[in-house]
Amino acid sequence: MNQAFMFLIGIALTGCGNNANTTNDAGKDASSQPDTVTAITKNPLKDCYFGDLHLHTAYSPDANFFGTTLLPEDAYKYAMGEEVIYFGKKVKRIAPLDFLAVTDHSEYLGAIAAVKDPNGPYKGTELYKQFTSTDQKDVAKSFADFCTDMSANKPNPELNKPEVIKGAWQHVINAANTYNKPGKFTTFVGYEWTSAPNDVNMHAQNLHRCVIFKGDKVPELPFSSFDSQDPEDLWKYMENARKTGSDVLAVPHNGNISNGLMFDTKTLSGKPLTKEYADARMNNEPLAEMNQGKGQSETRPEVSPNDEFANFEVFEILLSSTAKAKDKTGSYIRQAFGVGQELQTKIGTNPFKYGLEGGTDYHSAISSSEENNYPGSHGTQDDLAKNYKSILEATESVGGEPVTKISAAGLTGVWAESNTRDAIFDALKRKECFATSGTRVKVRMFAGWDYTADVVKENDWVKLAYARGVPMGADLVATSSAGSPKFLVQAIKDPNSGNLDRIQIIKVSTKNGKSTEKIYDVVWSGDRKKDAKGKLETVGNTVDEKAATYTNTIGAAELIGYWEDTDFDPQAYVTYYARVIEIPTPRWTTYLSAKYNMPLNKSVAATIQERAWTSPVWYTPVK
C-alpha cells in the first residue's frame, strides 16, 4: 500500500468520482447467511487456486482521493470474472480468480467515502463542502491535509470517528460474506495496517501488513497505525482477536521500500530480537508478500550479484519521497532467510521463516494482474486510456517512482483440498502456497531423503511425494542416516502467458554465523547445455517490441524434474525455495506503446520474464 502515493501526484491530481458502477448491495448484513453448497469435493492431493490477498477499494482514503469509487462488492465481481465499469470503460479479467481479500486501509477506513456521501453523516458540513469541491485548490488542500495526518501519524478527529469506521468495517464484512461461494469462490475479511514510521529525514519507511481473517467473527474495529505503529502491538491485537473469534494472520509487504526496517535485527523500539519476539512474529506472520505492484522483495542485483534474474521489477524509492530506500540489509526476503537462520542459532527461533505469497496492492478495486489486460491500478492517477501519453513519456515524478514502474502484479497460488475459506486459509498457514508476478504458473516442490529420479515418472508421483517427503512450507526433519536432501519440482504454464524457461532452486545456508546463497538450474526447456562455469544458455526471445507480440515457439508448457543437493552440509541451516522463470513476453508498458503507436518508455524493460516463487522447505541441523 501507499498512504500518500506521492509519485502519482506528479502526473495528475484531477479530482474524483468519474467511474461509476459502485454498488451497495452488500451493505445489508449477510453474516448469518448459510453456505449454499452442501457437498464440496475435497482432493487430498490438493488442487491449485489463484487469488489476490491485497486489494484496495474506495473505502481506502488514498484510493478515494485517486478517484476510485468502486467498492468491495465491485472488487469481488471483477475477480470472479464479471464485467465492471472502470472510469467509463468495461473491464473484465481474462481468467477469473478463485479467491480474494479486500484489504482497505484501517486508517480512516471508509471516512473519505462517508464525507463525500451527500446523504451521509457529514452532510452540509464544511468538510463535506471541501471534499466534494471540484476546485483544484480544495482538492489539493484535502489531499495535503490527509498526507500531513498520515505522515505525523496523528488522526484528524473529524475523520477518525469510530462510528463511521465501524460502519465501513461492517460493510467490508458483509460484502465478503455475500460473495463467498464455498466450492466456487472464496472471500476473506481483511484490512491493511499501514504503519510507516518516519526516518530522520521524515521519509516514510514501509512496515505495512495485510491482516486476513479466516472467518467473519472479527473484532468490532480493525487495528490501525493510529493505535500503534509497532508490529508487536498489532500481534497482541491479533492474539486477542483469535481468543474470541476467527483465526487471523498478517502478511508484511514491500520490504523493498522499508529502508531496512522490515527484516531488521532489532525491534522497532531498538531492542535486540529475542526468542519471545521471534515466536510472536512467526505465530502471527507465517507469510511475506514476495511481489506486488510496487515491485518485488526477493532480492536485487546489488544484494545478489550472482543472480542473473535479480534485476526484475525493481522499485526502490521510499513512499511519498524521492529518496532511494536503503537496501543493503533488512529489505529483501532472500537475505532475510539467511539472517533469520543466523538469529536462530543465537535465540532459538528463526523470526523470518516466511512462506511466500503475492498480491496487487492496487487502489482501484480492480485486481488486474494480466500484462495484456491492464487498465491501470490507481484510479485517475494512472488511467491509461486517458493519460497514456504522459505515462509513456514520464521517466521521473515529483515524488517517488514514475507510474511506469508499477507492475501488473502479483498473485498468490495455494495448494488446498477445496476452494473454501477453511481449506485456503489452512494452506496459507501451513505455507503450502507460492507467489507469482501475476502469471498463473502452477508450481509444486517437495523435499525428502528417499526420493529417486524415477518418482516423477510415475502417474501417482504427487501421492508418492507426500508419502515420502514434505511439500513447500514444511520442515525437512533431519535423520541420522539421511544422506542428502532430494527435491521434486513441477511447473505448468499459464495458458494465457508465455512458455516456461526453467525451474531453479535457491539455497540459502548458514553455518558458523555466516550465510551464503546459491542458485541451481534444476530443469529447463529444450536441449540447452551449461557452460564450463555452470551457466545455462539463455532461452531466447521471440518478442516483437513494436507490435507487442511473442510466440511460444521456445520454452516448454510443462517442466518436471528431480534434484539432489550434492553440496549438502548436515551441520548448516538451510532454506530452499524454487523459482520458475517464463520466456520473455511484452510488459504492460510495451502493450500500451503498441496500442497508441508511441515509443517505449526507457525507464522500464520492454520485456518481462514472469515468474513464480514457492514457499521454502527448511532444514535444521540436529544438535
Side-chain angles (χ1 to χ4, degrees):
M1 146 320 139
N2 160 353
Q3 81 222 38
F5 232 120
M6 291 295 289
F7 78 85
L8 295 167
I9 298 175
I11 297 171
L13 186 58
T14 54
C16 310
N18 63 349
N19 57 331
N21 198 44
T22 295
T23 56
N24 200 32
D25 56 334
K28 54 192 176 185
D29 186 359
S31 60
S32 60
Q33 291 183 357
D35 292 340
T36 55
V37 177
T38 55
I40 298 172
T41 302
K42 294 184 178 181
N43 177 5
L45 299 182
K46 305 180 180 76
D47 292 309
C48 187
Y49 301 100
F50 286 100
D52 183 1
L53 296 172
H54 192 172
L55 181 67
H56 298 266
T57 76
Y59 273 176
S60 288
D62 49 357
N64 202 297
F65 276 117
F66 299 155
T68 294
T69 60
L70 300 183
L71 293 173
E73 46 269 44
D74 302 303
Y76 291 127
K77 289 177 181 176
Y78 182 81
M80 295 167 71
E82 295 184 24
E83 190 175 82
V84 301
I85 305 298
Y86 181 61
F87 290 101
K89 295 180 175 55
K90 296 177 180 178
V91 294
K92 182 179 179 180
R93 280 195 67 89
I94 296 172
L97 299 179
D98 301 303
F99 61 90
L100 177 69
V102 169
T103 53
D104 283 310
H105 298 299
S106 55
E107 299 75 18
Y108 296 147
L109 177 69
I112 307 303
V115 170
K116 293 179 178 178
D117 184 348
N119 299 310
Y122 295 88
K123 177 182 178 182
T125 65
E126 288 301 314
L127 212 56
Y128 171 80
K129 294 176 183 176
Q130 176 186 327
F131 276 61
T132 55
S133 170
T134 56
D135 186 319
Q136 289 303 296
K137 291 181 180 177
D138 291 333
V139 174
K141 181 180 186 309
S142 299
F143 193 75
D145 289 347
F146 163 74
C147 292
T148 299
D149 294 345
M150 294 302 299
S151 178
N153 200 44
K154 293 182 178 178
N156 178 347
E158 284 190 276
L159 292 175
N160 197 40
K161 292 184 175 180
E163 63 272 23
V164 172
I165 295 174
K166 193 181 298 183
W169 181 227
Q170 189 60 53
H171 187 115
V172 169
I173 297 165
N174 293 347
N177 283 335
T178 297
Y179 287 89
N180 188 50
K181 311 293 183 186
K184 297 180 179 178
F185 183 77
T186 293
T187 66
F188 291 105
V189 178
Y191 69 89
E192 178 169 341
W193 174 74
T194 322
S195 172
N198 292 326
D199 67 6
V200 293
N201 297 313
M202 299 302 290
H203 297 144
Q205 304 170 105
N206 189 88
L207 285 180
H208 303 177
R209 266 84 169 168
C210 289
V211 179
I212 311 293
F213 292 89
K214 184 175 185 177
D216 61 2
K217 293 181 174 56
V218 302
E220 187 176 46
L221 285 170
F223 191 76
S224 82
S225 64
F226 295 145
D227 297 312
S228 172
Q229 290 188 308
D230 193 327
E232 292 185 77
D233 292 326
L234 172 67
W235 302 336
K236 292 174 184 174
Y237 163 91
M238 293 170 61
E239 287 158 3
N240 288 330
R242 204 174 284 125
K243 289 176 184 175
T244 57
S246 300
D247 199 358
V248 58
L249 59 83
V251 184
H253 67 85
N254 283 116
N256 56 322
I257 47 174
S258 71
N259 225 18
L261 285 190
M262 188 63 81
F263 308 112
D264 199 357
T265 55
K266 301 188 296 294
T267 68
L268 186 60
S269 57
K271 299 176 182 176
L273 301 194
T274 63
K275 186 177 188 308
E276 290 72 23
Y277 173 98
D279 287 340
R281 185 162 183 157
M282 286 296 93
N283 286 339
N284 289 288
E285 299 182 357
L287 305 173
E289 190 179 83
M290 189 64 136
N291 195 61
Q292 63 133 272
K294 293 192 298 298
Q296 53 84 15
S297 294
E298 181 191 18
T299 191
R300 55 179 295 142
E302 294 82 355
V303 179
S304 300
N306 294 323
D307 184 349
E308 63 183 301
F309 294 103
N311 190 21
F312 176 76
E313 297 297 293
V314 172
F315 191 107
E316 56 189 356
I317 303 299
L318 293 170
L319 299 177
S320 310
S321 80
T322 56
K324 183 180 176 183
K326 298 174 185 176
D327 54 33
K328 290 185 178 178
T329 61
S331 297
Y332 287 91
I333 294 172
R334 185 189 298 173
Q335 185 185 56
F337 285 149
V339 173
Q341 290 173 157
E342 294 165 20
L343 287 165
Q344 185 177 1
T345 65
K346 299 175 182 177
I347 63 176
T349 298
N350 180 347
F352 307 134
K353 196 175 178 180
Y354 282 113
L356 302 176
E357 60 95 270
T360 61
D361 194 9
Y362 292 158
H363 285 56
S364 57
I366 302 296
S367 184
S368 52
S369 61
E370 298 156 325
E371 303 283 346
N372 61 346
N373 187 36
Y374 175 75
S377 57
H378 285 76
T380 55
Q381 310 303 285
D382 64 345
D383 180 353
L384 301 190
K386 182 179 180 181
N387 302 324
Y388 68 89
K389 190 172 188 298
S390 60
I391 289 172
L392 285 173
E393 290 178 342
T395 56
E396 57 183 8
S397 73
V398 296
E401 301 273 18
V403 166
T404 47
K405 284 292 190 74
I406 293 290
S407 305
L411 292 177
T412 297
V414 301
W415 290 100
E417 293 85 352
S418 62
N419 187 357
T420 64
R421 281 180 173 172
D422 284 352
I424 291 180
F425 190 91
D426 290 348
L428 295 171
K429 283 206 73 172
R430 67 172 180 269
K431 308 174 188 177
E432 196 169 356
C433 56
F434 57 95
T436 86
S437 59
T439 184
R440 296 163 65 101
V441 171
K442 296 179 180 178
V443 55
R444 303 191 95 150
M445 181 177 78
F446 296 89
W449 301 109
D450 302 321
Y451 293 148
T452 64
D454 291 335
V455 172
V456 294
K457 299 177 183 177
E458 301 292 334
N459 290 332
D460 60 346
W461 76 269
V462 173
K463 184 177 181 180
L464 295 173
Y466 275 116
R468 301 178 187 175
V470 297
M472 66 176 82
D475 288 285
L476 183 61
V477 178
T479 64
S480 57
S481 58
S484 56
K486 289 86 174 176
F487 295 82
L488 308 176
V489 290
Q490 181 199 37
I492 300 173
K493 77 179 290 286
D494 179 345
N496 299 310
S497 188
N499 274 346
L500 306 178
D501 171 357
R502 69 187 74 187
I503 303 176
Q504 302 174 308
I505 288 183
I506 290 92
K507 174 184 176 183
V508 182
S509 58
T510 302
K511 187 176 182 181
N512 300 326
K514 292 185 178 180
S515 298
T516 59
E517 63 177 60
K518 193 168 183 179
I519 301 169
Y520 301 86
D521 294 310
V522 299
V523 54
W524 54 88
S525 62
D527 56 358
R528 291 174 286 160
K529 307 295 183 184
K530 294 182 180 178
D531 64 18
K533 295 182 179 180
K535 184 177 180 180
L536 182 65
E537 181 183 350
T538 60
V539 72
N541 188 348
T542 68
V543 174
D544 180 333
E545 296 180 2
K546 187 173 179 58
T549 58
Y550 69 97
T551 65
N552 276 324
T553 52
I554 58 174
E558 178 181 358
L559 295 173
I560 185 167
Y562 162 91
W563 178 73
E564 179 178 352
D565 183 9
T566 56
D567 298 327
F568 178 66
D569 180 349
Q571 300 306 311
Y573 294 76
V574 190
T575 299
Y576 298 95
Y577 67 96
R579 183 173 65 182
V580 185
I581 307 288
E582 288 187 2
I583 66 170
T585 50
R587 195 175 185 273
W588 70 263
T589 42
T590 302
Y591 284 108
L592 191 67
S593 296
K595 180 178 181 180
Y596 292 104
N597 194 28
M598 287 189 64
L600 293 167
N601 187 304
K602 300 299 183 184
S603 68
V604 292
T607 63
I608 186 171
Q609 284 191 266
E610 305 277 5
R611 59 198 64 195
W613 303 264
T614 71
S615 289
V617 166
W618 293 271
Y619 168 81
T620 301
V622 176
K623 295 294 185 183

